[in-house]
Amino acid sequence: MQSVIIGTGPAGITAAETLRRLDPTGSVVALSAEPFAPYSPAAMADHFLNGRDTTLFWKGSDVAECLGLDERRGSTVTAVDTDNHEVVLDGGGRVAYEGLVLASGSRLHAPLEGADLPGVLDFKSLRTATELIQRVRRGEARSALIVGNGFIGIELSLLLADLEVDVTVIGRRSWIMPRVLDPVTSTFAEKALRARGVTLRLGVQADAFVGSPSVTGVRLADGQVLSADLVVAATGVKPHTEFLGGSGVVTDWGVHVDDQMRTSVPGVVAAGDVAEAADWLTGDRFVHAIFPNAVTQGPIAAANLLGADLAYEGAESMNSLKHLGVPIVAMGTIDSPDDILRWDSGDHLRSVYLREGTIVGAQLVGDIRAAGVYRSLMLRRADVARFGQRLVDPGFGIGEVVWDAMQPAGLGVFA
Ligand SMILES: Cc1cc2nc3c(=O)[nH]c(=O)nc-3n(C[C@H](O)[C@H](O)[C@H](O)COP(=O)(O)OP(=O)(O)OC[C@H]3O[C@@H](n4cnc5c(N)ncnc54)[C@H](O)[C@@H]3O)c2cc1C
């Protein structure tokens, strides 16, 4: 088959591997808007801090050559002509396909006045992140304002603090990473951030990026203007779907896919941050923009493009803060639990969110060794009501679950 992949991030490159493995003689064209070898954005902070390339170019810088891909860097897709089975490039060139993988990921979403002012930076792609870090390395930035206290804003604040930039994070909600962490877990992370020198201004509304001719600061809802050498938007991400207008591929927030990662157009599949797949828990379509979902969806989408019949079990939410110094893992959801069990020692925290006796989410701080046990019980929708408060005891772990499963009326976790 003649396959074309739009995007060589984690979803695109794992799709390419699968296409090559299942269709060794087919041609695979891999298009990327950026000038880099396939990379993992999750490793950018480590790369800039420690100079490590192996985790950034996680499949090897020569992966395209090794897989025999026709990799075309700096090729931005502007449209998909599904009638003629062609992808249209920014220079007007066209690339024909028999099967198409949409793996174009996500971009910064900054619905804020002044977000398009020259100098507003972001840490979403290697291109924009390189520009940002180069300004720090050139000594142009002693201070930084980051608008947004989600995952990317927090990860960047730690990197900039380590690079000795005086950094302030502005967040609308009164705790950090509000979509992922609950306020109790957040207090542990906030303490660690402050200890690292990050200033947090939470519960503060940023109204606009300001400056002329380029950005110099941020105006808050109370009229106050904060200024800094670097002004960064970390206000969220949005799937890259702009080039799909008129293609017939149904999109909403992201590209609609069924449980086989197929889009509404035959011969076109989607994977990763661009795909709005079913959530494993609710079944509702949602974009959980994280690495594990991208690298699971990529191979499934590619295999199904070649005629396989693989079902995707649903996207999950799973986050860990890598550079905080305090291990934190958050999985599942914190929305509408009927019960929350907690164990809090001051240094360590275990919180488990329950609905109808099953785990729908868990958050651990400090000792995170039991994360796999909670995840396994959650994904199996095991009835854990019998454990009661013991579920969050520091000693609760795999031994407890194994023992229970061996009882006549046990969980059946290992069945
Ligand atoms: C700073 C940061 C830290 C992160 N940390 C974590 C973490 O710790 N754990 C975790 O699970 N996840 C993390 N993530 C999220 C994770 O990186 C993403 O979920 C993952 O990269 C998604 O992979 P993807 O292939 O779908 O998209 P992307 O990695 O965004 O790749 C998309 C590709 O498509 C290309 N593209 C886009 N539009 C076009 C076009 N029109 N034409 C041609 N090419 C195009 C881009 O150039 C790029 O190559 C982090 C993300 C960031 C930014």
Side-chain angles (χ1 to χ4, degrees):
M1 179 188 273
Q2 185 170 347
S3 311
V4 172
I5 303 174
I6 303 176
T8 58
I13 201 65
T14 53
E17 280 179 326
T18 305
L19 289 171
R20 178 52 70 234
R21 203 166 287 150
L22 297 180
D23 182 20
T25 57
S27 89
V28 181
V29 179
L31 303 168
S32 170
E34 293 175 82
F36 310 109
Y39 69 91
S40 169
M44 290 192 307
D46 178 50
H47 163 77
F48 287 118
L49 198 55
N50 303 311
R52 235 190 304 273
D53 275 353
T54 44
T55 44
L56 184 69
F57 301 110
W58 63 301
K59 292 287 181 182
S61 311
D62 57 352
V63 58
E65 203 183 325
C66 295
L67 291 174
L69 309 178
D70 176 358
E71 185 199 19
R72 304 188 195 172
R73 298 180 192 169
S75 296
T76 302
V77 174
T78 53
V80 177
D81 177 350
T82 46
D83 290 337
N84 294 306
H85 289 214
E86 285 176 340
V87 160
V88 183
L89 302 179
D90 53 355
R94 288 177 168 251
V95 185
Y97 68 82
E98 290 169 313
L100 179 64
V101 181
L102 306 174
S104 47
S106 53
R107 60 170 171 78
L108 169 71
H109 177 58
L112 214 64
E113 188 189 323
D116 54 356
L117 272 175
V120 175
L121 299 162
D122 72 79
F123 199 66
K124 180 62 190 77
S125 69
L126 188 52
R127 188 181 56 73
T128 55
T130 301
E131 187 186 334
L132 194 161
I133 298 302
Q134 276 175 350
R135 287 193 52 188
V136 176
R137 299 227 193 273
R138 285 198 299 261
E140 293 169 18
R142 308 292 298 273
S143 61
L145 272 177
I146 301 176
V147 179
N149 63 355
F151 188 89
I152 293 175
I154 294 302
E155 176 142 318
L156 176 61
S157 74
L158 287 164
L159 170 62
L160 291 178
D162 283 352
L163 294 175
E164 295 180 353
V165 176
D166 182 4
V167 56
T168 299
V169 176
I170 302 169
R172 193 160 43 92
R173 303 289 288 275
S174 56
W175 70 98
I176 66 157
M177 292 174 60
R179 287 185 52 191
V180 172
L181 300 183
D182 94 357
V184 179
T185 315
S186 176
T187 55
F188 286 81
E190 287 165 27
K191 195 172 147 199
L193 279 159
R194 290 191 168 108
R196 295 274 293 277
V198 174
T199 301
L200 297 172
R201 296 203 53 178
L202 305 177
V204 170
Q205 170 82 39
D207 268 0
F209 294 99
V210 293
S212 176
S214 51
V215 72
T216 51
V218 173
R219 191 180 68 237
L220 306 181
D222 64 5
Q224 194 185 158
V225 174
L226 306 178
S227 303
D229 302 331
L230 285 184
V231 181
V232 185
T235 38
V237 298
K238 163 90 181 74
H240 259 300
T241 55
E242 299 76 10
F243 59 90
L244 291 170
S247 67
V249 172
V250 174
T251 63
D252 189 358
W253 184 249
V255 174
H256 280 198
V257 290
D258 65 13
D259 68 352
Q260 297 193 320
M261 309 310 296
R262 296 179 200 278
T263 72
S264 54
V265 172
V268 182
V269 294
D273 283 7
V274 77
E276 211 178 302
D279 175 87
W280 76 274
L281 177 65
T282 62
D284 297 339
R285 259 193 295 267
F286 195 80
V287 181
H288 288 295
I290 57 169
F291 179 90
N293 292 335
V295 299
T296 311
Q297 294 173 4
I300 291 177
N304 288 339
L305 191 64
L306 292 173
D309 190 20
L310 301 179
Y312 177 60
E313 288 183 348
E316 57 175 305
S317 172
M318 175 95 177
N319 287 274
S320 66
L321 276 164
K322 301 184 286 286
H323 307 288
L324 198 57
V326 181
I328 296 187
V329 170
M331 66 186 82
T333 181
I334 51 174
D335 286 344
S336 343
D338 13 90
D339 200 7
I340 303 175
L341 301 176
R342 265 195 230 286
W343 173 78
D344 182 349
S345 73
D347 294 328
H348 300 268
L349 175 75
R350 284 186 183 204
S351 306
V352 171
Y353 309 80
L354 299 166
R355 275 189 216 156
E356 295 172 3
T358 64
I359 298 176
V360 292
Q363 307 206 339
L364 290 91
V365 179
D367 180 0
I368 58 167
R369 285 172 297 176
V373 177
Y374 291 124
R375 179 167 177 267
S376 164
L377 292 171
M378 179 176 80
L379 294 182
R380 288 164 186 274
R381 297 180 163 84
D383 182 349
V384 293
R386 74 189 67 196
F387 293 116
Q389 187 65 27
R390 273 195 299 141
L391 202 55
V392 289
D393 274 357
F396 184 86
I398 192 73
E400 193 100 5
V401 178
V402 171
W403 174 250
D404 184 85
M406 285 161 61
Q407 307 309 305
L411 286 175
V413 163
F414 300 98

